Amino acid sequence: MKQAVMILIALLIVGRYAASQSPAPLWKTLPDIPPMPKADESGLASINDIRMYYAIFNKEGKDPVLLLHGGMVSSDYWSFEVPLLSKTHKVIIADSRGHGRSTLTNRPLGYNLMASDIVQLMDTLQIKKASIVGWSDGGIIGLILAIQVPERVNKLFTFGANFNLSGYKSEPPDTAMAARFMAQVQANYRRLSPTPDNFSGLMKALGKMYSMEPDLKPEEIKTIKAPTVIAFGEYEQFIKREHFQALAQLIPGARLIMIPNVSHGGPLQDPVHFHMAVKKLLDANY
């Protein structure tokens, strides 16, 4: 009972923090990122050909959950979710290669490579199996993990993740919001990266990857056995709603969830409802 009360208080605090910065409709906002709580353990692990940043919260907790961030950003973008989820679960965050504090090599970026980084990180941290919560690129990595190493994935929650290039909308996004986002992510990169002046290098590598990937085949997606939620924002600006519907229909037993009043930035724009959706999956008995 005490734990439930504490979680409710935390949800109210997070909700008020986000609301205080949101005079515009939620889906048009780009909230500031609050400080990440102190980790029980963090460091740079030697993974494949890179040094990969990770942090663990509630290290002695049960039911580990890996939070995988989207493209161009870093694991700091989970700073609303970490304090909520770590009350009930062991939580691990990591910076994808070339993002945040993790290094980038000349090796071409690819989702399969980034998924293999996560598997090696799990091995390094001695995590046999975890639930995956992936946002955008992190969701694509989660899909690949559920396909390629199903024995390592307990449950899968994706938000704003496409499975091939046909999912993208043709209309241009809001240029003003895009400019604000790019300013935010560049500042985040300069603050964290071991190569703070190489944001253009990361963008070039991502641009090449995005021109060809993801390219997951329906027959691969149909093999996913983990209990899965495919989530998206009501005002998602990059990916077609029917694409999320098609993805959910391909995965046996998957549930499709729309989080109201948010766009692709949903975990920042409405962290309370995002967390509730994640917890509903994690708490369900299958």
Side-chain angles (χ1 to χ4, degrees), residues 100 147 180 243:
I147 291 167
R180 284 167 32 228
H243 189 78

Side-chain angles (χ1 to χ4, degrees), residues 52-86:
M52 188 174 200
Y53 172 79
Y54 72 92
I56 305 174
F57 305 84
N58 189 14
K59 188 175 180 179
E60 302 306 319
K62 60 179 182 178
D63 301 328
V65 181
L66 271 162
L67 300 178
L68 305 181
H69 64 79
M72 295 183 279
V73 301
S74 71
S75 58
D76 283 22
Y77 276 64
W78 287 118
S79 56
F80 279 120
E81 180 61 23
V82 166
L84 299 176
L85 193 57
S86 61

Side-chain angles (χ1 to χ4, degrees), residues 3 73 109 166 173 207 228:
Q3 186 182 63
V73 301
L109 282 183
S166 72
T228 299

Side-chain angles (χ1 to χ4, degrees), residues 36-219:
M36 186 70 73
K38 182 176 173 57
D40 293 334
E41 176 185 332
S42 63
L44 290 167
S46 295
I47 301 296
N48 286 323
D49 55 343
I50 63 167
R51 298 281 285 169
M52 188 174 200
Y53 172 79
Y54 72 92
I56 305 174
F57 305 84
N58 189 14
K59 188 175 180 179
E60 302 306 319
K62 60 179 182 178
D63 301 328
V65 181
L66 271 162
L67 300 178
L68 305 181
H69 64 79
M72 295 183 279
V73 301
S74 71
S75 58
D76 283 22
Y77 276 64
W78 287 118
S79 56
F80 279 120
E81 180 61 23
V82 166
L84 299 176
L85 193 57
S86 61
K87 292 181 182 299
T88 52
H89 291 76
K90 178 178 182 176
V91 175
I92 304 98
I93 60 173
D95 290 342
S96 294
R97 62 171 52 223
H99 296 68
R101 307 156 187 83
S102 296
T103 59
L104 181 68
T105 67
N106 292 328
R107 194 171 178 182
L109 282 183
Y111 288 113
N112 283 328
L113 176 58
M114 291 193 285
S116 107
D117 291 339
I118 296 299
V119 174
Q120 282 210 19
L121 180 65
M122 291 175 71
D123 290 344
T124 298
L125 300 180
Q126 299 182 330
I127 298 170
K128 292 182 179 179
K129 193 172 187 178
S131 292
I132 306 294
V133 177
W135 176 5
S136 194
D137 280 6
I140 297 167
I141 294 168
L143 290 168
I144 293 171
L145 292 171
I147 291 167
Q148 295 184 354
V149 286
E151 72 281 3
R152 308 299 295 270
V153 178
N154 183 19
K155 297 178 181 180
L156 174 64
F157 185 102
T158 74
F159 180 83
N162 59 312
F163 64 93
N164 63 31
L165 301 185
S166 72
Y168 289 120
K169 292 182 175 181
S170 56
E171 60 265 28
D174 183 329
T175 54
M177 189 169 181
R180 284 167 32 228
F181 173 74
M182 289 305 296
Q184 185 188 75
V185 299
Q186 287 184 66
N188 182 257
Y189 181 90
R190 286 193 299 270
R191 180 172 61 86
L192 299 176
S193 177
T195 55
D197 296 325
N198 194 40
F199 185 73
S200 61
L202 173 62
M203 289 296 294
K204 182 178 179 181
L206 285 171
K208 185 173 182 180
M209 180 179 77
Y210 292 156
S211 71
M212 299 180 290
E213 301 182 32
D215 187 25
L216 299 179
K217 308 302 181 187
E219 54 270 26

Side-chain angles (χ1 to χ4, degrees), residues 244-280:
F244 298 120
Q245 294 168 340
L247 176 57
Q249 289 169 359
L250 286 170
I251 301 172
R255 290 189 295 121
L256 183 70
I257 292 178
M258 182 189 76
I259 299 180
N261 302 319
V262 302
S263 64
H264 199 72
L268 292 179
Q269 293 166 338
D270 190 350
V272 172
H273 284 96
F274 180 83
H275 176 71
M276 290 170 63
V278 169
K279 280 285 287 174
K280 188 173 182 179

Side-chain angles (χ1 to χ4, degrees), residues 220-241:
E220 296 176 311
I221 298 169
K222 289 177 181 179
T223 67
I224 293 176
K225 295 180 173 61
T228 299
V229 165
I230 303 301
F232 64 97
E234 181 180 8
Y235 294 95
E236 165 66 45
Q237 65 268 52
F238 303 118
I239 301 168
K240 304 169 189 173
R241 184 172 298 191

